[in-house]
Amino acid sequence: MSSNRPPMVTDELTWELVRDEWELLLAIGSGPTSAVAAATALSAPVSGVVRRIALLEQHGLVRRVGDGFGLVAAFYERREGMSSYLRDLVLRRLEAGDAPPIAGVVRTDLGSPAALEALLARATESLYPAVVTAANRPESDKSERFSVFFAAAADCPKVRAADGDRFLSELLCVLRAAAGQRSQAPATRSAYLWIAEMRVDPEVASEIGELFDDFVSSAPSGDGRGAAGFAIVPSAAARKGKDPSRAAHRTQPSTSGSHP
């Protein structure tokens, strides 16, 4: 699996392009997607989209695929401004509550910083490559957009769910703890915040949920304040007629204390 792992890109300019052109990158997808098709998806002028794609290609974010373009597989790491990153790309989406997660789990019994470091090393070697491979399957007419959130933190306070969804309260707590620790110590190996968007068939999204679920749920427990959790959330409001009961998220184990 490690041989299929996409490279890690830590260049700050490249990250800014990822952030600023998020919607265009998602419109291009795995490709081949023409500039005209991307412009149509964004309701934007073709000439402007052509220039934007050229810039993305110049910086290695997209590549030519057949008669169009496709994304270059890579992990883009944000090293500064974690609080704004968390607010803009994560919290607003989760807290909006437009659609329930289709899968998710939180663990708060994962032990020491060393245990979290070992868990995240395993994620790099086995979990992420499998997720990327599944997410890059060809799209179909059934494909939808999903956001994927995965976080782990070695020092996560126990929380008591506020009014509302307990799972969401505890997931947000782990996300905030991970972002805080990454901001204070960018080189830490015992805290991680991994966010992705993908356009895949619903059954592929469910398969990816199973990959994360198996990984988090099978992690050994231990003494300490280590925690990890994930959620897969439809990026747009649930379509009319879809049954929200399909959501399958849970929290392990019970927690107590104050919600920050």
Side-chain angles (χ1 to χ4, degrees):
M1 283 298 230
S2 60
S3 63
N4 296 326
R5 188 173 70 235
M8 180 70 72
V9 179
T10 58
D11 178 71
E12 199 69 12
L13 174 59
T14 303
W15 164 255
E16 296 296 336
L17 283 171
V18 171
R19 183 199 63 189
D20 294 344
E21 294 290 9
W22 193 270
E23 295 298 328
L24 175 56
L25 291 167
L26 289 173
I28 293 171
S30 57
T33 303
S34 68
V36 172
T40 300
L42 298 177
S43 299
V46 174
S47 59
V49 169
V50 168
R51 289 193 298 271
R52 291 159 64 187
I53 291 177
L55 182 62
L56 294 174
E57 184 181 17
Q58 177 184 341
H59 288 275
L61 291 166
V62 302
R63 61 190 175 89
R64 294 186 179 272
V65 178
D67 295 330
F69 298 88
L71 297 181
V72 173
F75 295 134
Y76 298 98
E77 183 173 8
R78 173 69 168 175
R79 291 185 172 271
E80 298 177 0
M82 289 299 294
S83 59
S84 60
Y85 175 63
L86 183 68
R87 181 192 67 236
D88 295 339
L89 291 183
V90 182
L91 297 183
R92 288 177 180 172
R93 299 183 185 201
L94 286 174
E95 291 174 337
D98 292 332
I102 66 167
V105 63
V106 173
R107 290 279 304 277
T108 61
D109 61 341
L110 297 179
S112 66
L116 262 292
E117 184 174 335
L119 179 71
L120 292 172
R122 291 197 299 275
T124 299
E125 291 300 320
S126 61
L127 176 62
Y128 302 151
V131 170
V132 170
T133 297
N136 278 284
R137 291 176 189 164
E139 298 174 14
S140 76
D141 292 340
K142 299 188 302 178
S143 293
E144 303 175 29
R145 279 176 54 177
F146 296 88
S147 297
V148 183
F149 307 111
F150 173 65
D155 187 16
C156 186
K158 302 292 185 180
V159 300
R160 173 176 51 81
D163 293 340
D165 191 294
R166 172 188 168 190
F167 165 76
L168 181 58
S169 294
E170 298 193 349
L171 178 64
L172 291 174
C173 182
V174 178
L175 288 165
R176 290 189 178 103
Q181 289 164 46
R182 294 285 295 184
S183 293
Q184 295 168 11
T188 182
R189 296 184 179 181
S190 60
Y192 204 68
L193 182 57
W194 196 83
I195 295 98
E197 281 209 41
M198 57 188 182
R199 182 175 173 81
V200 297
D201 290 357
E203 55 266 31
V204 176
S206 296
E207 179 183 330
I208 291 172
E210 292 174 1
L211 290 171
F212 274 103
D213 197 327
D214 290 345
F215 181 82
V216 175
S217 298
S218 64
S221 59
D223 296 328
R225 290 160 57 96
F230 85 94
I232 298 181
V233 184
S235 294
R239 288 176 172 77
K240 184 177 180 181
K242 285 199 172 182
D243 182 4
S245 66
R246 69 191 182 119
H249 54 273
R250 64 185 188 276
T251 302
Q252 303 173 344
S254 300
T255 60
S256 60
S258 298
H259 185 68

